[in-house]
Each structure stands twice: as structure tokens, then as C-alpha cells.
Amino acid sequence: MSRVLTRAPTRLCYTPSCAMKFTRAFSSSLNGAIPAAKAKYVPTSGTYPKGFAAAGIFVGVKPGNTSKPDLALVTSDRPCSAAAVFTKNKFQAAPVTFSRKLLRARANAGLRSVVVNSGCANAVTGLGGLEDAASMARTTDQRVGSEDSTIVMSTGVIGQRLPIQKIVDHIPVAYHKAGDSHRHWLDCAKAICTTDTFPKLMSRPFELPSSPGIEYRIAGMTKGAGMLAPNMATLLTILATDAPIAPGIMASALRHAVDRSFNSITIDGDTSTNDTVALLANGAAGGTEVSSEQSEDYTVFRRILTDFATDLAKYIVRDGEGATKFVTIRVVDSATEESARAIARSIALSPLVKTALYGKDANWGRILCAAGYSLISAPGQPANDVPEIVPERTNVSFIPTDGSPELKLLVNGEPEVVDEERASEILEAEDLEILVKLGTGDKSTVHWTCDFSHDYVTINGDYRT
Amino acid sequence: MSRVLTRAPTRLCYTPSCAMKFTRAFSSSLNGAIPAAKAKYVPTSGTYPKGFAAAGIFVGVKPGNTSKPDLALVTSDRPCSAAAVFTKNKFQAAPVTFSRKLLRARANAGLRSVVVNSGCANAVTGLGGLEDAASMARTTDQRVGSEDSTIVMSTGVIGQRLPIQKIVDHIPVAYHKAGDSHRHWLDCAKAICTTDTFPKLMSRPFELPSSPGIEYRIAGMTKGAGMLAPNMATLLTILATDAPIAPGIMASALRHAVDRSFNSITIDGDTSTNDTVALLANGAAGGTEVSSEQSEDYTVFRRILTDFATDLAKYIVRDGEGATKFVTIRVVDSATEESARAIARSIALSPLVKTALYGKDANWGRILCAAGYSLISAPGQPANDVPEIVPERTNVSFIPTDGSPELKLLVNGEPEVVDEERASEILEAEDLEILVKLGTGDKSTVHWTCDFSHDYVTINGDYRT
């Protein structure tokens, strides 16, 4: 085990090129074509919210990136209400610190733009990194002509400073190129991607009860791939609507939507330093302002926002690093929603469940096992009671997505002797639902995840081969 | 996505052969030779505790197993003090329920034997399964001539009944074959294995302060491989000593040892339905009984037990499914031991950290990221403060195991520009230590884990290929 080293130990070098070599960047798969199997998830047209313009241009943030767009801008021709949900990771990236402070200072009003770079996370970069984030915002503000109005996001490698001059020089170019066509929004969605294999863009019209006849629109883009957890992870999302939503109710609507969408998906359980979901509403479509959480408009908008965010979040699962399966985990009849969520998350994160799904193995024992340890106390702590799970009341089934009958695996704690051919058939499909009935209450949750494949290990481990 | 099914849905079949086909068993790698790289971990001799006999014989619990020993027995020629630590998984296997109840009923005194089968976990098997566990114990009791004196353990596939008649018929054979030689103990250690690639057996002499001149002995065997977490997992351990330890202090000594050994290792974070660590002390070597937790003897014994259990636990990490690395994660200068443990576990469990280690990638950003989300509140819960982690006080280093200087990666929250060649060199070795200094207190912890390789996915996903 002990090796004799023949060279001098710990030579630290401080040149930028050496730093680059050490903190090598994500592989970017968007230089080339979108995989055939994923092309169906990329829209060819859209209906985008009025008053917004979008752009995605090439800067070359990451050395080695010679063509992939890596600077994104979404900007409104008038002030917006805005809110954002940020990562809880204790090591927060500079753009997170900057944007959080900005939204607080502006009390969620008067925002105009979101500027994003991919290829470098601007995380663990100290005071210099904070100044870089501020400088991205300031440059955007100057072009837009509105002070303190730009939210900043970054995604990519941790521990490396941004090539800030390059970025700042290109922000005016992005502003100049911004437009409201489908092509503009798609370029923008591409520019925020890292290891994603396809851009994730959606748009949708909707109505609000008190403004009948007005067609509102919501558009959104997200990026994900690996490093993703219920608490979000290298996950950036921009949501924009032309509905008139008052600043005071933006945060609660977004928090509700994010908990049920981006916080209800997992790829590998890792939660990044940079996660941000931002929502902008500019009111450009007119109509009555939604200003009270007690109004019907608010309830409707919140539901539309939640559904929209959920559909967008599912794209991230579809693009999980190395994923071959799209798995819905539904936990019902739970004593509390919180315990239902913890159980679903535990099943979704279990490497044994994930590899069994990859191997098309109907191993319900692993599902049960992951449920069984989801609520237990930490090692070294006294055992707790976990009344939320009662083995004799627990049911587990596979729900095929083709509408054929469910396949019961465990009924009231007793294993079914399962027709394995039927199980294989269900597991052959890309989509699958695992249903867990707890029988201890009436709360429920739904969670989406993918499987764990050889390719996940290759993507995340084999940088050098 | 929707597929038309051309055959009848959900045909349930209730024949045993169908159940076998569905709940296929672990692959058993102990039929053949022990891999060359692992042979060094298997002892060729040992000093075993007096008064104990061990056996490992072939029964054929799992259909398809035609030669691997799968029934293990450790028995004492006199009554033992005994204690056990069991899984906290809410779905507890029948042998866990049975043995827990037995130890409580006996108040940790008067035990004689541990009987173990591999190949079938006897978990999620209802009342019938409980009766099977009781029947294994009763049969052993009858041979030994002592009622209610046998602890039972099982490991293998969940949801399948034991071939109990076969097992019960072979228990007298095991008793008959039991002996105190190294060969007997090694056969026994082999019989408890499932996907393990080598048997994990250790023995060690020791002394106690108040009985100078007496050589006490402790021997132990364990099994692990995949499905392993800080809260233990398909982990079975038998520890036996001829020191005279009073029943009343067995549980506290074992709990202390397990928290610092078997509960401080992770393979994949899954915690099984069957985990059991049992300790027997028969006093056959004589000397003064250790009966008070305040005595020096107790302190010394607990330390010896903890060290022994730790070394045994490390073998499990060495044999992690698909593992290519043995990684020590040391978290120091922490505000509390509990938070240090949570941080170490979070780093150990991060698939991104584990795949980076496999890929020999000095990606300290992933280490930091895993530390940063280790103590945060669950999704949907308000953000918490996490005073245990202060970015500006955090240090991360790689400690080479060859005694060469540490490689600093992060110093007081600022990234070092690291010599990548030196990092590669360190990551080339099988053993590596990750040191995280929090700078927020004086508590510390140490945790052992392995990497995540292609082979892990193959072992756990590719049953059918």
C-alpha cells in the first residue's frame, strides 16, 4: 500500500493554466447534435410572454469550449416582480449570495433581467468572485438602463474564477442579439446547459379568472443532468410570465411550485452550491393585478406555475446523467406529507433500487428496505419509533404507464408471488411508477427519479479515459 | 412510451419455483478462489477464545448453490453473557425480531450459540418466517442441551421463506462438525458470506488490568459487501471472547464499539432488514469478572473491542461491491461529534465524490459540496443556520497513506491551486485519507468508505446479462 515517491512533494503552482488543468470542466455535449431519443423533448415552436427578450451567445467561458453558447440573457422591457429559490448548501456560490441580497434589497420589485453563464460556477471564489457576479449584473443593468435590476446565475466548475472581462465584454452583444422568437429562447436555453444532452425549454398560454379573455403566457428553461437532489442541485431555472403578479406574493407562489417540482426530483442526491430557480412577472399582457394570496387568481396562478415547473423538472430527470429509466415514485396514505416525502426520496436515492431498475430487476425487497430506513434515527442516536410505517399495512406495486393493471408486489406486508415475466415486461418500458401505500394516514407525495447506469459512473468518473 | 401488451396481465403464481425465479439470490463468489488481491486479508492461523467451537457447512439454502458453505454455528461449552446491536430498519427480518426478544428475555445472560444461514434473509416472511427463526434456534438449543440460548441470523434474498426442513436437518451436522481450530473458524466465516469475495475473520489476544498474566482472546467474523450504510446493512458479525464480562455491561460496550466501527463505514448507504452484530463472552479463560462500567477493566475491554471491531469493519470496506479504493474520511475541529459524523457520512455517500475517487479525480469541489449540504434542512422545510460549517474556516486536504506530506486543496475557504500531478499520484494509491478541518470546535470523527465503480453497477444491476 505504501508507495515510495520519487518526486518532490506538494508543488503548488499558481498560474491560471495550472488551475484550469486541475479543475477541469464538465464535458459539454451540446456542441454536437441532440441525441435522437431526446429530440422529441425539444420544442420546435412556442408562445412566449410579451415584453421579454432572450439571447444565448458564445463567449468561451470554459477553455476548450469553442462553439457552444455559454452566456444567456432574459430581459424585460419593463420592471418585473421577481422571486427566487436558492440552494441551501452552506457553500453558496457568489451569484447566489449576490442575487439573494439583490432580491431582498429590491423587495422583489423592479427587476429586469437574468444573466447566466455556464462553464464556471463562480463558487468558492471569495470576495473576487462576489465582485465578478456584481460586475455581470452591473454591465447588464447599464445596457438595460435600470440600476440594481439583474439576477445572476452561474453553473460549471467550482473553485475557479470567471474570465470576467470576456463575459463583461459579451453582455452588450447578448443584449443586442436578444429577441422574442422561438429561436432566441432556444438559444438561451442552450446557453445555460452544461452536461445536459438537450436544452429544456417550455412555454404555455393560460388564463386567470378575473381577467377573462386575456391570454397570459409563461415560458421557462432549466438545466440539470447530474448532481441533482430534492434540495435542487446544479439546477438553474428561469421562469418568465407576462401576467401581472404583485411582488408580495411571488415568493410564496414560487416556493410552493418548487417544493412540488424541482425539490421532488432526484438524480444522485448531490445538492450544489449554485442552484437557483428565478421567476419574473412583467405584467405586459395587462389585466387585473394578482395581489392577494387569498384570491382565486392566486390559487389558479400557483397551480399553473406548479404544473409548469413540474413538467420542466421532469425533463431534468429524462436527462439524468446516464439515465435509461424515468421513474415516478408515489407514496400515499401517509400519516404526514413530510414522512411521505422522506420515504419517496429514500427510495429514489437508494443505489440498490436505482441499479435494480437499470437491470430491469423487480427487486421489491430493495424498495421496501429503502422505505424501512428512511425515517430512522442517525447512527449513534437512540432508535426511534417511526409510527408512519407499519409493516402489516404496507403495500407496494408497480404501475405500468401503458394503462395495463398494476402488478402487486407486497400486500399488507405479505409478499406476493409475482409473475416475473409480467414484471420484466413492465420494467422493459422507459417509464414506470412505483406505488407505496402506507395505510397510516391520508397524505401523499410524488417524486421523480431515474436509474443508475454504467454511463453515470463513466460520465462522473472517467474524465481521464 | 405506451406499449401494447399481447399477453394476459398480472398472472400471479404461487409455486415455490416461481418465487425462486422472481426473488433471485445473490451471486455467490465464494464457490471459487479468493481473488489474488484479497488473499492477504485472509488469515492463515489464529488464536481463538477458549470454550468456543465453530463450524461452517454446506446445506444448499439457495437453489443453485451446490457447494458453498451456507450454515454457520458458533457455540460455547458454557453459558455466555451476550449482547447484540440490530438494524433500525422498520422492516425487520424474522431472525432480528426473534433474537432481540430472546436477549431481552434472558437479560443478556445464559446464551450459548449463534446459528446463521446465508442465501435467504428470512425477511418480510410474516408469522411463518418467525416460526422458522424460532425453529433454527430450538434445534440448536436441543443439540447444545440448553433452552432459549441461541441467537439467529440470516442473510440473503428478502421475501422468500427458508427451506427450513433442510436447515433444521443440517444443524445437528454442524454441531457435530464444530471445532476450535483455525480451519473450523474459517469455514464458519465463509458460511456467513453472500456476495463477499473473501471471508472476514480475525482473532487477537489481550489482557485486562485486574487479571495480569491471563491471556484473553477475542475472535470475530463479519460479512458485508454491498448494501451497507452507517446504520449497518446486510451486515452480520459474530464476536466471541473468553474474557469474563458480566451481562449487565455487555450492551453498552458493544454499542460503543459498533458506533465507532460498523456504524462508521459506508458502501452505498443502504441499510438492510437483517443487520446484526452479536457479542458473546463465556469467561472460559478465568480471571476477575468485569462487572462495572466504572472499572478500568471495562474501559480497557471496551477499547480493545472497539479497535477489534474497527479492524473487522474495515475489511467490509475493502470488499465493497466493485470497490477499487479504501478511503478514510476524517472530520476534525467540529462543534459536535454528531455534526462531524453527518458531514463525514455525507461525503462518503455522495455518488459524485465516489465516482471522482474511482476516476482518480482530485475534485475537491464535490467534497466541499457534499459537506455543504450535509446538515441542511429537508426539502420543503425552512432553511436552517448550520453554525457547524463556516466556509472561511474550512480546510480540505488529501493525506497520502505513504507518509508523504498532505496535499492542501482548500485553506480557510480559499481554493489552493493544486499540482494536479501530485494529486494524481496520491489518487493512484489504493488507500487515501480525506481530511476536513471545520475550525468550529474540538470534536472529530473518522469514517471509512470505498469508491463507486462500473463494477458496482454491474454487480447490482446486471443480473440478467
Side-chain angles (χ1 to χ4, degrees), chain A residues 284-346:
Chain A
T288 315
E289 192 185 52
V290 185
S291 57
S292 159
E293 288 181 23
Q294 271 65 54
S295 68
E296 195 193 349
D297 277 356
Y298 175 81
T299 309
V300 170
F301 175 70
R302 200 176 69 165
R303 182 176 49 69
I304 287 160
L305 183 67
T306 303
D307 290 350
F308 187 84
T310 302
D311 289 344
L312 207 48
K314 286 181 186 173
Y315 281 154
I316 295 175
V317 177
R318 296 256 176 229
D319 202 15
E321 282 170 349
T324 73
K325 294 256 172 271
F326 180 88
V327 185
T328 302
I329 299 171
R330 198 177 298 274
V331 177
V332 304
D333 302 344
S334 171
T336 66
E337 193 181 331
E338 199 183 335
S339 54
R341 279 192 200 193
I343 291 165
R345 198 169 69 235
S346 181

Side-chain angles (χ1 to χ4, degrees), chain A residues 3 11 13 22 24 88 90 270 350 359 361-362 364 373 381 385 389 417 419-420 422 425 454 458 461, chain B residues 3 5 11 13 24 88 90 270 350 359 361-362 364 373 381 385 389 417 419-420 425 454 458 461:
Chain A
R3 293 178 332 121
R11 178 175 57 79
C13 72
F22 169 63
R24 74 198 67 73
K88 290 180 187 166
K90 189 74 184 183
D270 280 280
S350 160
D361 178 14
W364 58 266
Y373 65 70
Q381 301 299 308
D385 192 35
I389 299 177
V417 181
D419 176 355
E420 198 199 1
R422 172 69 182 136
E425 215 167 45
H454 286 109
T458 301
Chain B
R3 291 177 335 122
L5 294 178
R11 178 176 55 80
C13 72
R24 75 198 66 75
K88 290 179 186 166
K90 189 74 184 182
D270 279 279
S350 160
D361 178 13
W364 60 265
Y373 64 70
Q381 301 299 308
D385 192 35
I389 299 177
V417 180
D419 176 354
E420 197 198 5
E425 213 169 45
H454 285 108
T458 302

Side-chain angles (χ1 to χ4, degrees), chain B residues 48-64:
Chain B
Y48 296 97
K50 296 195 181 81
F52 283 101
I57 67 164
F58 167 73
V59 171
V61 171
K62 192 180 72 171

